[in-house]
Amino acid sequence: MKSSIRRSRRAAVAVALGSVLALTATACGDDGSGSAGDKGDEGSGKGTITFWDNNGGVRTDVWKQIISDFEKQNPDIKVKYVGVPAASVQSKYDTAIQGGGLPDVGGVGTAMLAEVAAQGALEPLDSRLSKSSLNGKLNDKFLESVKAAGGDGKTYSVPTSANNGTLWYRTDLFDAAKLDAPTTWTKFYAAADKLTDKAKNRFGYTIRGGEGSIAQALDATYGQSGITSFWNGDKTTVNDPKNVAALEKYVGLYKKDTPSADVNNDFTKMVAQWDSGTIGMLSHNLGSYADHEKSLSGKFKGIPNPTLDDGTRVQVSNPVDGLGLFKSSKNKAAAWKFVEFAASHESNSKWNESAGQVPANNEAAQDSWVQASEPTKLAAEALGGATTKIVQLPYYLPDWNTISKADNEPNFQKVLLGKMTAKEFLDTLADQIDKAQADWKKNH
């Protein structure tokens, strides 16, 4: 096996940091705080703090509304907003950690949380949360995901939202075929078969074979096998025989009940193909609702991923977005007030309604807009439900993104094309993950 397992993002960061000494005063001017080695200070609780939005542009307007609300309630605090595009936020954090210029508060999702926390940049928030008005008001499963992603069981980010895997289905096609909603995996496979008519270019399902395929494949695999933990000791369960059988069944849909072009499907192609109206079901997340509404208004519904026949729902963890307090902040008291405000009922509801995601604040999750949006309501219920089991993906592993994308998306295409078996694919994936886990434990 190639040395890709050792190519952690930390190593890539170290190489990139050769240019850090050339950082300009403008780069450091994004905030006014220092690098990860700075201990910072509680400060006066007044003055100016800097906030980095980790999805700048897309969510700028709603964040500016929340900041305006905060400043009205806290006239002694001003929040400087810096919108950072999602594609570059990781590298911007890494550069600032080494060269200075970290914000007081920043958006830090679980997919990048371990990388930032491991470099000593984030303040553990457990003590602050326990004394906060937020205590007991945040979704427990979101908090579990944050703690798991941090790598050491501490809370380095206050969760604000999560997406959720959603099975979108064409209600008109299901009604015409006299099919029940695909609420269980048994019903899902029956519907995929019945809705397929290759002669008329109609298919029961569209599978994701291109970019982003691994998380969706793992969701379907663990969802069917019922295995509820990614680990058995220090070995991954990803290639457990039950998971192998589940993946074999899932990829068996390819070209039988899906278009052959699915082997190259990324998010954009998959959604566009489903919205064209000739396919019965699509697995994606809440984020594609607006596209479906535009193309198929009144002819579709979205439900959480199917359950086992006994009603148990097993799904892999979706990245949870959140707000981190940076250790180098010179005004942690004011920064924490902003975090509390942004994650409070009203602000969290406002943000998630705009983003179309599931609120982390339990009170916000009960608001009327959530109840009126059936897919979001069902997702919120699934994420908080007693019968839902979340398999926490190892976002804390520095090599996770490399393993789950560059190393194995091409292999998953080989599985679809019959050039690699499901067992070979999962065994390769498991070997890489186990080595990454061993390497991580050795260095922690």
Side-chain angles (χ1 to χ4, degrees), residues 69-377:
D69 294 341
F70 174 76
E71 290 178 342
K72 287 175 185 175
Q73 199 172 109
N74 299 271
D76 293 330
I77 304 173
K78 299 299 178 186
V79 180
K80 179 182 176 183
Y81 172 88
V82 179
V84 185
S88 60
V89 70
Q90 177 72 64
S91 61
K92 188 170 177 69
Y93 278 136
D94 287 336
T95 300
I97 284 169
Q98 300 300 322
L102 283 167
D104 299 279
V105 178
V108 187
T110 50
M112 73 173 76
L113 185 61
E115 173 84 11
V116 180
Q119 297 180 78
L122 293 170
E123 181 100 344
L125 300 174
D126 302 87
S127 177
R128 293 178 192 269
L129 269 174
S130 68
K131 303 169 188 173
S132 167
S133 59
L134 296 173
N135 189 31
K137 294 185 178 180
L138 299 175
N139 186 298
D140 286 338
K141 288 188 170 67
F142 291 16
L143 283 167
E144 288 171 13
S145 292
V146 168
K147 290 179 180 180
D152 61 4
K154 294 179 182 177
T155 307
Y156 288 105
S157 176
V158 171
T160 54
S161 67
N163 222 320
N164 196 52
T166 302
L167 181 62
W168 302 100
Y169 69 101
R170 288 282 303 277
T171 51
D172 55 342
L173 299 182
F174 271 70
D175 289 345
K178 295 181 171 55
L179 285 165
D180 292 334
T183 53
T184 68
W185 286 103
T186 298
K187 292 177 180 178
F188 165 80
Y189 281 107
D193 278 340
K194 190 164 185 179
L195 292 174
T196 297
D197 186 341
K198 292 183 181 179
K200 296 181 179 179
N201 198 36
R202 294 178 181 172
F203 297 91
Y205 185 61
T206 175
I207 200 168
R208 189 167 186 162
E211 184 181 355
S213 61
I214 303 303
Q216 189 171 100
L218 290 178
D219 215 6
T221 298
Y222 279 94
Q224 294 174 83
S225 72
I227 296 171
T228 58
S229 175
F230 195 79
W231 299 104
N232 181 7
D234 287 330
K235 298 293 184 182
T236 180
T237 58
V238 76
N239 62 335
D240 183 283
K242 290 181 180 179
N243 276 338
V244 173
L247 184 61
E248 286 174 343
K249 188 169 186 179
Y250 183 67
V251 299
L253 291 170
Y254 177 63
K255 288 205 298 188
K256 180 171 79 73
D257 293 328
T258 81
S260 59
D262 280 5
V263 70
N264 294 312
N265 263 353
D266 58 11
F267 151 67
T268 305
K269 293 174 185 173
M270 186 172 60
V271 169
Q273 187 167 265
W274 191 69
D275 287 348
S276 70
T278 59
I279 297 173
M281 296 179 289
L282 160 76
S283 293
H284 188 237
N285 57 46
L286 295 170
S288 54
Y289 176 79
D291 292 324
H292 309 326
E293 182 64 26
K294 190 181 298 182
S295 300
L296 301 167
S297 179
K299 297 179 181 179
F300 74 98
K301 283 189 176 182
I303 58 176
N305 286 343
T307 69
L308 298 171
D309 288 340
D310 67 2
T312 301
R313 177 176 285 109
V314 180
Q315 60 185 65
V316 300
S317 55
N318 276 271
V320 173
D321 208 1
L323 298 172
L325 174 61
F326 282 83
K327 194 178 292 184
S328 57
S329 169
K330 303 298 190 296
N331 200 347
K332 294 177 187 176
W336 177 247
K337 283 182 184 178
F338 178 66
V339 171
E340 284 186 301
F341 184 87
S344 67
H345 178 178
E346 184 178 348
S347 298
N348 192 238
S349 184
K350 182 180 291 186
W351 192 94
N352 280 283
E353 183 175 12
S354 172
Q357 297 193 20
V358 180
N361 186 295
N362 291 325
E363 293 173 334
Q366 298 303 314
D367 281 352
S368 58
W369 71 268
V370 177
Q371 305 308 308
S373 172
E374 186 180 34
T376 308
K377 176 186 176 183

Side-chain angles (χ1 to χ4, degrees), residues 431-442:
D431 181 62
Q432 294 172 339
I433 291 168
D434 287 345
K435 287 178 178 176
Q437 171 76 350
D439 184 59
W440 182 83
K441 290 197 75 173
K442 181 180 177 181

